[in-house]
Amino acid sequence: MKKRITNHLLSILSIIFLFSSCFLGDIGADPDIIFKTYWTDDISNRDVKHITTVNNDTLLFKKIKYVITDLKLINDKRVIKLDKSRIVNGWDYITFDSGYGGIYQISFNLGIEDINQDYNQLKAQNFDIEDGYYFLKMAFQNKTKDSIYNYNIAKKDSSSKISSFKVTIDGFNLSGGLFVNQAIIGVNLKNLFTKPNLINIDSLTTGSINNQELQLKMIENAKNMFFLDQFVYD
């Protein structure tokens, strides 16, 4: 009799486990993609005050917003599309229901590939300009001269040579943590001014958005601002 009850219990537990596997998927924390801004990509030396020195000028970060498009996760079995377009702030969380386990590449574009499409969300937040869109807006203070500057990148129309670019981060395990499951993408603001082009701070006037040569240097520098900070699993 005892053996029969045990067998029934095992059968019931097996059915429950099968039901949970089918409808709940992998048990674990919902994954987060986190964007964090720094003045450096040196993980051991982070300046939480967002102050840096560029060409003898002391700069204080004030605020930043930038556009990412076609955010998705990719591996050899599937593509998970997360967001068509999004304005990211200096510290931003993107949380989603994984639905699947496995290790993925994070992929997104900085900026917009086809500016002829309508992005109502960007227009609502004043990210449209003439016949195109801003890719990045940043404000900072030059403490040396006690003045505020704007570092803005935009593709104003289809004739502009400014173009979006793809960023990829490999190795995000969607089922890596039971309580915490995070991919933290660092954004190195100092590289916007220094790598590979040293940007003259005084050239960042209100008319700099119309200076194609300067804009090309700025978007080239932007290609060096994203890096993998860390994966956090717990």
Side-chain angles (χ1 to χ4, degrees):
M1 180 69 178
K2 188 174 182 180
K3 185 176 180 181
R4 186 179 301 171
I5 293 173
T6 301
N7 288 338
H8 281 308
L9 286 173
L10 288 174
S11 298
I12 292 170
L13 289 174
S14 298
I15 292 171
I16 292 173
F17 178 79
L18 180 61
F19 179 85
S20 299
S21 298
C22 291
F23 290 93
L24 299 180
D26 294 327
I27 298 175
D30 285 340
D32 297 314
I33 297 175
I34 302 173
F35 291 87
K36 293 175 65 175
T37 53
Y38 302 104
W39 278 116
T40 176
D41 58 6
D42 180 0
I43 294 177
S44 64
N45 183 26
R46 297 292 169 77
D47 188 348
V48 296
K49 295 181 180 180
H50 296 304
I51 296 176
T52 194
T53 300
V54 175
N55 203 22
N56 297 321
D57 287 315
T58 301
L59 308 183
L60 172 63
F61 164 72
K62 305 295 285 186
K63 61 181 178 180
I64 186 171
K65 290 184 178 182
Y66 50 91
V67 176
I68 63 171
T69 55
D70 195 23
L71 174 62
K72 57 191 175 185
L73 302 171
I74 305 169
N75 68 9
D76 57 354
K77 293 182 179 179
R78 61 180 62 90
V79 175
I80 304 174
K81 295 183 178 181
L82 300 178
D83 218 333
K84 178 185 176 183
S85 66
R86 185 184 189 95
I87 294 177
V88 179
N89 295 295
W91 180 298
D92 218 337
Y93 278 77
I94 300 172
T95 302
F96 56 95
D97 183 357
S98 66
Y100 305 97
I103 297 176
Y104 288 79
Q105 177 190 78
I106 303 170
S107 174
F108 61 90
N109 299 324
L110 177 75
I112 299 166
E113 186 174 4
D114 182 5
I115 63 170
N116 293 316
Q117 293 189 42
D118 281 330
Y119 291 89
N120 294 324
Q121 176 194 4
L122 304 187
K123 291 179 178 179
Q125 298 190 52
N126 296 319
F127 258 71
D128 56 322
I129 176 173
E130 296 185 10
D131 294 326
Y133 296 93
Y134 285 96
F135 287 7
L136 179 148
K137 291 182 179 182
M138 184 176 73
F140 65 95
Q141 179 183 1
N142 185 343
K143 293 176 69 68
T144 307
K145 298 180 179 180
D146 193 25
S147 53
I148 302 294
Y149 291 82
N150 293 306
Y151 191 116
N152 297 334
I153 301 174
K155 187 177 181 70
K156 296 174 63 175
D157 54 51
S158 56
S159 67
S160 170
K161 295 181 181 179
I162 302 301
S163 59
S164 64
F165 60 85
K166 180 177 289 188
V167 179
T168 58
I169 303 290
D170 293 325
F172 188 24
N173 187 350
L174 296 191
S175 52
L178 184 60
F179 302 105
V180 178
N181 196 4
Q182 297 176 339
I184 303 177
I185 300 174
V187 183
N188 182 344
L189 300 182
K190 187 169 184 176
N191 280 355
L192 286 173
F193 297 90
T194 61
K195 187 177 180 181
N197 304 296
L198 182 61
I199 302 298
N200 179 359
I201 305 300
D202 292 326
S203 68
L204 299 175
T205 64
T206 54
S208 63
I209 203 72
N210 299 313
N211 186 333
Q212 278 289 292
E213 182 180 355
L214 178 59
Q215 287 281 296
L216 287 170
K217 290 180 180 180
M218 293 162 72
I219 195 69
E220 186 178 12
N221 285 8
K223 294 178 181 179
N224 293 291
M225 73 178 189
F226 295 104
F227 64 97
L228 173 62
D229 184 329
Q230 60 181 320
F231 295 122
V232 180
Y233 306 117
D234 192 4

